Amino acid sequence: MNDCLFCKIMAGEIPSKKVYEDEFTYAFHDIAPQAPVHVLVISKKHTPDVAHNADLSDQELAACLRTCAKVAEMLGIAESGYRIVNNCGEDACQTVKHMHYHVLGGEKLAAQMA
């Protein structure tokens, strides 16, 4: 999509600090981290949110979760634990309408919902 922030990041039109990339996903550091480790994992195929996951193949959808786990391993938070968050829609505070997952860790996270 031409006006999508995350599509522009993937295209290199907006700089990002890339963590990982494969044929289905792109992962990069969040510019406003909520934890010592805060990485966004996005699908390379634009879909607005998880509610529209039928837009993705099973392989593309599974790749997003596998990438979350790879990122946690790469950044050294897999053993101590991490949180994967997906906001879907306005009431959940989704600000970019491109399906994405937040991988958060690097410290003891609050027990309350994010």
Side-chain angles (χ1 to χ4, degrees):
M1 285 194 105
N2 292 342
D3 61 341
C4 173
L5 174 66
F6 289 168
C7 288
K8 289 179 180 182
I9 287 172
M10 265 189 309
E13 297 171 26
I14 297 173
S16 68
K17 189 175 173 190
K18 181 171 75 170
V19 174
Y20 177 82
E21 182 176 12
D22 62 26
E23 67 179 302
F24 300 116
T25 63
Y26 186 83
F28 56 99
H29 289 278
D30 193 295
I31 61 168
Q34 303 298 306
V37 174
H38 187 169
V39 172
L40 300 176
V41 174
I42 64 174
S43 168
K44 283 191 169 180
K45 182 176 182 182
H46 181 89
T47 191
D49 54 41
V50 171
H52 293 86
N53 69 37
D55 296 345
L56 302 176
S57 70
D58 289 348
Q59 189 175 21
E60 290 168 321
L61 191 57
C64 291
L65 291 178
R66 287 191 182 102
T67 295
C68 289
K70 285 178 187 172
V71 164
E73 185 69 35
M74 291 171 64
L75 298 179
I77 60 172
E79 289 297 317
S80 61
Y82 57 97
R83 183 173 292 160
I84 300 171
V85 176
N86 173 269
N87 300 318
C88 185
E90 189 174 320
D91 283 354
C93 298
Q94 181 184 4
T95 57
V96 179
K97 304 300 183 205
H98 184 123
M99 187 182 77
H100 61 285
Y101 298 86
H102 299 257
V103 178
L104 301 141
E107 68 183 3
K108 181 99 170 150
L109 299 173
Q112 67 190 39
M113 296 299 292

